[in-house]
Amino acid sequence: MSIIVAYKYAANPQDTTVDASGVVDWSRAKAAISEYDPVAVQVGRTLADSLGTDVVGISVGGKAVASSMAKKGALSRGMDRALVVADDATATWNATTVASALAGLVGKIEGANIVLTGDSSIDESAKMVSTLIAGFLGWPCFQEVIAVEAAGNGWTLTQSAAGGTRTITVDGPVVVAVATDAAAVKVPGMKDILAAGKKPLDEVAVAEVSPVEVSLEVTGRAKPVAKARRNETFTGDDAAAQLVAALRNAGAL
């Protein structure tokens, strides 16, 4: 049984520009493993060490995802090997198609019964790929998970909830989206990066994962309408009380 971590080699939005119409220009954005995925890798590494097994990374992206730089950047985080779909045709895929391909990769790993993902991807931040993967696999999915432990034939998950946490026991396989604060991320050193270059990364052809074809058409774009500010000023000895009353009337308190 391997611990599977789905990761994304994504462009950093800090390097992008946005034109007047709201269209984002990604042409100068540098790619790296998505900012939240190392947390999932660390959770997976800790879990794998406790079970005496390995961590397998899976990813879908352009040819760059199989490059030496991408491989070292991902596997230096704590994964033992990776299985990727590296095809520039994926640039036009939407989240549903990507998730179906990721599910196809999971199917190629013997004994797979858990998939960890980051909270979201740094470029799109849709927070939906974990649930889509689960849908294609027919597994349950839980998000905002801060801890994972093996429990018999399943898993015990600690999930953030309003006002605290809750503990969930799952029998059988599961997809888990790890919360951003679930683990402290180790920054890879030169030794980790050099070792990652020797780890195996296998490419899988698109046809072997049978991605679903889902059409998506953007019919328009519009900026959010800016709300007019009330610009109220409160004076006098009871200014604080006036402010509190106004906030309550507005439903802010």
Side-chain angles (χ1 to χ4, degrees):
M1 176 191 69
S2 297
I3 306 301
I4 303 173
V5 178
Y7 68 93
K8 186 174 185 179
Y9 193 61
N12 192 327
Q14 293 182 356
D15 300 325
T16 62
T17 57
V18 182
D19 64 20
S21 65
V23 176
V24 181
D25 179 7
W26 294 88
S27 60
R28 297 183 180 181
K30 297 178 182 179
I33 182 172
S34 187
E35 188 171 298
Y36 306 116
D37 292 342
V39 182
V41 176
Q42 186 59 56
V43 171
R45 180 74 268 162
T46 301
L47 182 60
D49 290 344
S50 70
L51 297 173
T53 187
D54 62 345
V55 180
V56 182
I58 58 172
S59 189
V60 172
K63 291 181 179 179
V65 77
S67 67
S68 176
M69 182 178 294
K71 173 185 174 181
K72 291 178 181 178
L75 297 186
S76 64
R77 295 286 181 173
M79 293 180 282
D80 298 295
R81 59 189 177 97
L83 202 61
V84 304
V85 172
D87 194 312
D88 287 341
T90 62
T92 61
W93 290 5
N94 55 39
T96 302
T97 304
V98 169
S100 69
L102 288 169
L105 290 175
V106 173
K108 294 185 174 297
I109 301 172
E110 185 177 355
N113 68 349
I114 187 169
V115 178
L116 305 177
T117 74
D119 176 71
S120 63
S121 64
I122 192 173
D123 53 349
E124 296 182 7
S125 193
K127 293 191 175 185
M128 61 187 293
V129 171
S130 57
T131 58
L132 289 168
I133 294 173
F136 285 111
L137 292 173
W139 298 0
C141 177
F142 295 90
Q143 297 183 323
E144 294 294 330
V145 173
I146 59 174
V148 183
E149 296 179 0
N153 294 323
W155 309 94
T156 297
L157 313 176
T158 303
Q159 184 184 45
S160 292
T165 63
R166 63 176 179 174
T167 302
I168 303 163
T169 300
V170 182
D171 291 328
V174 67
V175 177
V176 174
V178 176
T180 57
D181 58 350
V185 175
K186 174 187 174 183
V187 178
M190 183 57 66
K191 183 178 179 180
D192 299 312
I193 295 172
L194 293 175
K198 299 178 182 179
K199 294 178 181 179
L201 182 147
D202 298 318
E203 294 186 46
V204 177
V206 169
E208 293 184 47
V209 293
S210 304
V212 300
E213 295 184 10
V214 178
S215 61
L216 175 66
E217 180 183 359
V218 179
T219 58
R221 295 182 176 89
K223 291 184 177 181
V225 178
K227 294 183 179 180
R229 297 188 178 186
R230 297 178 64 173
N231 295 320
E232 292 186 57
T233 302
F234 304 100
T235 60
D237 295 337
D238 63 342
Q242 295 179 52
L243 173 60
V244 170
L247 291 173
R248 283 176 176 165
N249 291 334
L253 291 179

